[in-house]
Amino acid sequence: MHGTYNFWLVAASLVVATLASYTALDISGRIASLSRSRMRHIWLAGGAASMGIGIWSMHFIGVLAFELPIRLGYDFKITAGSLGIAVLVSFFALRVITSKRLTARRLVASSVLMGAGIAAMHYTGDAAMRMQPAIVYDPRLFAASIAIAVIASGAALWIAYTLSDANQTNVLVKRMGSALVMGIAITGMHYTGNAAAEFLPGSICGAANDVDAHWLATTIVLFTLAILIITLVLSRFDARTALLAGSVSRLNGQIVRMATFDTLTDLPNRRTMNERFDRAMRNAKHSGGRFAILFMDLDGFKTINDSLGHTVGDEVLKAFARRLQECVRGGDTVARLGGDEFVVMLENLHAPTDAEKMAERILDEMKKGLLVGNHPLQVMPSIGIALFPQDGDTVESMLKHADLAMYEAKRGGRSTYRFFEASMNEAAVRTLQIQQALHEALNGGHFYLLFQPKFRGKSGELAGAEALIRLDHPEIGTLTPLEFIPIAERSGQIVEIGYWVVHETCRQLARWRDEGCPPVKVAINLSPRQLHEADLVENIMMIVRAEGVQSEQIMFEITETVAMQDAPRTIEMIRAFQENGFEIAIDDFGTGYSSLAYLQRFRAKQLKIDRFFTNGLDENGQEGRAIVSAIIALAHSLDMDVVAEGVETGSQLDRLQDMMCDEMQGFLLAMPLSADAFGVMLEQGEVSA
Ligand code: C2E
Ligand code: CA
Ligand code: CA
């Protein structure tokens, strides 16, 4: 018994198979891009259902396309069973193609399983006709149909697997092409299977009265198409919203990251740090706990940047950031505030020593050095520590205080750490004010000199004066050199100020001379930084000559400590001064550790005993007197005059006179005087130069 094929239904079966394949491919791509497992399951189940219905109905349409000259019908239960098989096979196929990795072995095994599944569905579908006598199958065609099913499944699985990769281009065209291939393969399997079926003459269909075939064909085609199209539309729609939601959240993530993290080191930035501080502070206030802020920057980072370039500088910052992260505990925060400024916040602090230990650990780690590119670098931080609650109750004050402590660490020799102390606050404010005042002082004419008279020990005659600088600032008032000289020394401004002092002294000397006063000797103090100026003596000579003053009228005071720091250089310097007619005094004697050998080679004119020893004449009894008299004897043996500084009491004066001290200076005898007042004293007193 031979059947014929209804062309339209055959075409419809191919369309349905292709559409089902396309749907499967689309959904597999969909599933592969889903990260949420719930959504994956939903799409897997829905996809399997619609793909299964697609394949099954293709098969069913194919069966209906085949017209036998007898009345045909289908057993409902068996038909439903074949649909079940189709859905199961589809589910399995979707699982395989959306898996992370598809190995060759898995592909072969899956193809065999899926091919067998499709074949099972096909032949179960045939069985639904309950033909009597049963259909006889041509063994070769039967085997061929199964082989086609397996090979087609393999190809389909492979194509679908590669297409589910999110990085594909031209996905639409590729998918349509492969869907067509898959569709042809599935229909091919079906019609080979049909060809294998031999309906024996006189067969009758046992299910002929169950479901009417023609009615079924139309319903199924329409129904299947509807399901496939709806599935596709849903998949597309979901993909678009997911894509949109995905890119929005990605973008959002990027923006949030940029706003909260430092792009160079990937550490939290200042803003994030502030937020975490705030939280830590609230927690600590609530629980009565404490935390510490370690504020640090890299010593000499600017030099690295300038000499090795910004790329190396950036690498140093990154390497330092990594080191810091290695040092801290899990709950601690490391942040970069900008530039080479970093902050570590230690929460749940048990004792201040915890912060100390962390600072030491960071310093130890950094001592090991960094390897940046090919440069082995030793970069050390200075660390300032502020503790909550004692060192501040706002984020700003904590940071500011930790910063001040870091500044102190730098002053204390760098590569070290300091805890914040209240005194640093006032000191820092004052330092800033003075720095500002110094900037304006020279041009603003805020400096002036006082002259403290020096007297002869024996006769009490005026022997000369020491020029002492003052800064009178319109806003902060009068400053003593003890306050601003160290600051000017650090900033280097002292050099210019020093020349001003020489200039001003010469000007006054010339003025007193022009007013008819007897010539007088004035001592000028020199700072360490000035002594490092290569052409100091020449420059001073130029000033002195320009003012028409004799260099013999000027003496320079160098403190003992500074003189001894680089004694050979000091000797050279002193020679240069002496060759130009200037005299030299060693100031503040007794505060440093003099080598007598050098003291002799300095060949200074005067030795000025520090005020401390003068004071000791009264305070330290016999011992104090013994020291001063030893110093005087020493100086005399080295052919130097002795000047006692800070004479404040009559008993000091008496004792010094007894000890044959050559000159005296102090509040008892005369306060530092203005140039005018000193001029008056000059006129009246008998001066012996
Ligand atoms: P110094 O060279 O030891 O100057 C003597 C200091 O002792 C002066 O303080 C003076 O006012 C003070 N003094 C004088 N007699 C007595 C006394 O009887 N009792 C007490 N308690 N103090 C007395 P001043 O003017 O504040 O100067 C302090 C330091 O500043 C000076 O110490 C000197 O090292 C430095 N200095 C002052 N003027 C200059 C300057 O023009 N250039 C440089 N580089 N340093 C200067
Ligand atoms: Ca002095
Ligand atoms: Ca002195």
Side-chain angles (χ1 to χ4, degrees):
M1 185 162 66
H2 285 280
T4 50
Y5 284 104
N6 177 320
F7 172 78
W8 291 112
L9 283 178
V10 171
S13 74
L14 181 63
V15 168
V16 169
T18 306
L19 199 63
S21 302
Y22 186 84
T23 311
L25 290 175
D26 188 77
I27 287 174
S28 67
R30 191 79 273 284
I31 293 170
S33 71
L34 287 174
S35 51
R36 275 172 49 214
S37 72
R38 208 172 68 88
M39 286 307 284
R40 275 182 84 100
H41 289 321
I42 291 175
W43 273 110
L44 208 56
S50 66
M51 184 182 164
I53 291 172
I55 294 176
W56 173 81
S57 74
M58 171 271 134
H59 161 84
F60 210 79
I61 295 161
V63 171
L64 293 173
F66 183 69
E67 287 165 353
L68 276 178
I70 53 170
R71 201 175 130 79
L72 289 177
Y74 299 92
D75 180 287
F76 182 77
K77 279 192 197 135
I78 302 176
T79 307
S82 72
L83 173 63
I85 294 174
V87 171
L88 230 98
V89 166
S90 300
F91 181 80
F92 168 75
L94 277 178
R95 279 289 295 268
V96 172
I97 57 183
T98 56
S99 64
K100 288 245 157 26
R101 257 167 49 82
L102 185 61
T103 58
R105 265 180 65 182
R106 252 192 102 183
L107 180 64
V108 171
S110 312
S111 312
V112 171
L113 222 73
M114 194 176 155
I118 291 175
M121 175 206 73
H122 176 91
Y123 293 108
T124 314
D126 275 1
M129 286 187 276
R130 288 205 265 118
M131 294 302 290
Q132 280 152 9
I135 306 172
V136 175
Y137 290 99
D138 175 277
R140 273 176 308 157
L141 281 175
F142 178 75
S145 79
I146 292 182
I148 290 175
V150 170
I151 292 166
S153 297
L157 287 175
W158 176 245
I159 292 169
Y161 171 74
T162 49
L163 281 183
S164 69
D165 176 1
N167 301 323
Q168 288 276 340
T169 51
N170 274 339
V171 179
L172 195 70
V173 178
K174 285 185 193 165
R175 252 184 214 161
M176 290 209 286
S178 2
L180 193 63
V181 172
M182 283 163 73
I184 291 171
I186 294 171
T187 20
M189 178 268 145
H190 173 83
Y191 291 109
T192 315
N194 258 13
E198 178 102 16
F199 293 88
L200 295 175
S203 290
I204 50 158
C205 174
N209 297 323
D210 274 26
V211 184
D212 176 68
H214 287 280
W215 178 82
L216 249 184
T218 333
T219 321
I220 286 175
V221 170
L222 291 177
F223 191 63
T224 307
L225 285 176
I227 287 179
L228 290 174
I229 287 166
I230 288 170
T231 312
L232 265 180
V233 168
L234 274 180
S235 168
R236 291 288 82 213
F237 180 73
D238 187 56
R240 191 143 309 153
T241 28
L243 192 74
L244 210 63
S247 60
V248 165
S249 86
R250 242 195 328 277
L251 200 67
N252 196 44
Q254 250 166 24
I255 292 170
V256 167
R257 202 165 170 81
M258 262 158 62
T260 51
F261 283 84
D262 169 48
T263 38
L264 180 71
T265 60
D266 236 9
L267 291 177
N269 61 11
R270 181 183 284 272
R271 205 184 104 168
T272 312
M273 193 72 208
N274 281 346
E275 280 169 15
R276 297 205 188 161
F277 273 169
D278 231 24
R279 208 172 49 215
M281 201 166 274
R282 266 182 279 124
N283 287 346
K285 275 178 184 162
H286 188 71
S287 65
R290 35 183 167 184
F291 69 90
I293 288 176
L294 277 65
F295 193 103
M296 58 199 91
D297 77 9
L298 295 169
D299 300 334
F301 179 70
K302 201 179 153 341
T303 320
I304 293 177
N305 242 352
D306 291 348
S307 56
L308 300 176
H310 287 271
T311 326
V312 175
D314 283 355
E315 289 306 314
V316 168
L317 293 176
K318 282 199 241 172
F320 181 54
R322 279 196 296 273
R323 274 290 154 87
L324 283 180
Q325 280 176 310
E326 284 161 18
C327 286
V328 300
R329 305 164 304 181
D332 302 332
T333 307
V334 181
R336 177 176 176 225
L337 298 189
D340 63 336
E341 284 183 348
F342 290 81
V343 157
V344 170
M345 180 171 66
L346 306 176
E347 279 186 83
N348 302 321
L349 212 64
H350 298 298
T353 46
D354 287 356
E356 195 168 3
K357 274 187 211 136
M358 180 59 72
E360 274 165 5
R361 177 149 181 215
I362 293 171
L363 291 170
D364 281 348
E365 281 299 312
M366 289 306 286
K367 273 197 197 111
K368 293 178 185 166
L370 302 173
L371 195 68
V372 174
N374 294 325
H375 304 274
L377 285 176
Q378 175 87 62
V379 207
M380 292 298 291
S382 291
I383 307 174
I385 308 172
L387 299 168
F388 181 85
Q390 59 259 50
D391 294 341
D393 57 0
T394 62
V395 171
E396 294 76 36
S397 66
M398 284 285 289
L399 271 179
K400 194 182 120 205
H401 291 162
D403 187 12
L404 282 174
M406 181 189 78
Y407 181 71
E408 282 300 316
K410 284 207 182 296
R411 291 213 318 175
R414 304 177 148 207
S415 312
T416 181
Y417 64 90
R418 287 280 184 281
F419 278 96
F420 170 73
E421 286 163 23
S423 62
M424 291 174 186
N425 211 355
E426 296 141 28
V429 171
R430 183 78 177 162
T431 302
L432 277 177
Q433 277 180 332
I434 294 174
Q435 269 166 355
Q436 193 55 39
L438 281 172
H439 272 296
E440 304 155 5
L442 274 176
N443 291 333
H446 301 152
F447 286 121
Y448 65 95
L449 290 183
L450 292 182
F451 296 89
Q452 186 175 39
K454 292 154 84 181
F455 300 91
R456 298 217 173 276
K458 254 187 292 177
S459 60
E461 302 165 321
L462 187 62
E466 178 179 2
L468 296 167
I469 193 171
R470 296 288 178 269
L471 198 172
D472 193 13
H473 192 265
E475 274 146 41
I476 48 180
T478 305
L479 295 169
T480 81
L482 290 179
E483 253 195 304
F484 66 81
I485 294 282
I487 296 172
E489 177 69 36
R490 269 207 302 283
S491 68
Q493 286 165 295
I494 189 66
V495 175
E496 235 188 310
I497 296 171
Y499 289 129
W500 179 87
V501 174
V502 176
H503 202 275
E504 179 65 8
T505 305
C506 292
R507 203 173 66 85
Q508 296 299 347
L509 282 170
R511 197 167 67 99
W512 293 321
R513 181 195 60 209
D514 295 346
E515 284 168 0
C517 299
V520 67
K521 252 186 191 144
V522 174
I524 294 173
N525 291 285
L526 288 178
S527 278
R529 182 82 168 243
Q530 290 176 272
L531 294 171
H532 285 113
E533 289 284 287
D535 43 6
L536 178 70
V537 182
E538 283 108 296
N539 288 341
I540 288 177
M541 268 315 283
M542 257 158 44
I543 298 170
V544 173
R545 280 209 202 98
E547 291 296 323
V549 171
Q550 298 298 307
S551 52
E552 284 72 21
Q553 278 191 277
I554 297 172
M555 179 185 267
F556 287 100
E557 299 190 359
I558 304 171
T559 62
E560 183 198 12
T561 329
V562 174
M564 285 300 164
Q565 258 165 22
D566 186 356
R569 226 186 90 79
T570 310
I571 294 172
E572 249 177 73
M573 196 70 145
I574 291 178
R575 287 293 165 274
F577 274 115
Q578 289 167 335
E579 275 159 20
N580 284 288
F582 300 106
E583 281 179 349
I584 297 291
I586 301 297
D587 201 1
D588 300 344
F589 186 78
T591 53
Y593 300 94
S594 269
S595 141
L596 285 185
Y598 278 126
L599 201 56
Q600 187 179 21
R601 292 178 60 194
F602 287 160
R603 279 195 260 136
K605 174 85 161 93
Q606 290 188 341
L607 197 70
K608 298 187 81 174
I609 305 180
D610 192 72
R611 200 166 69 230
F612 172 80
F613 297 98
T614 310
N615 197 43
L617 289 171
D618 285 347
E619 309 267 301
N620 302 334
Q622 182 57 42
E623 210 178 316
R625 289 193 287 278
I627 292 175
V628 176
S629 98
I631 295 176
I632 293 174
L634 168 79
H636 285 165
S637 76
L638 293 176
D639 220 12
M640 283 188 275
D641 289 345
V642 178
V643 183
E645 293 187 296
V647 181
E648 290 179 347
T649 66
S651 73
Q652 288 168 356
L653 180 66
D654 290 345
R655 296 219 159 84
L656 286 165
Q657 276 175 335
D658 290 348
M659 290 174 189
M660 312 287 287
C661 183
D662 304 279
E663 290 182 17
M664 332 234 185
Q665 183 183 349
F667 294 165
L668 175 75
L669 306 164
M671 297 297 287
L673 304 172
S674 70
D676 288 346
F678 185 71
V680 171
M681 184 182 259
L682 260 184
E683 262 174 70
Q684 291 165 353
E686 302 158 54
V687 180
S688 61

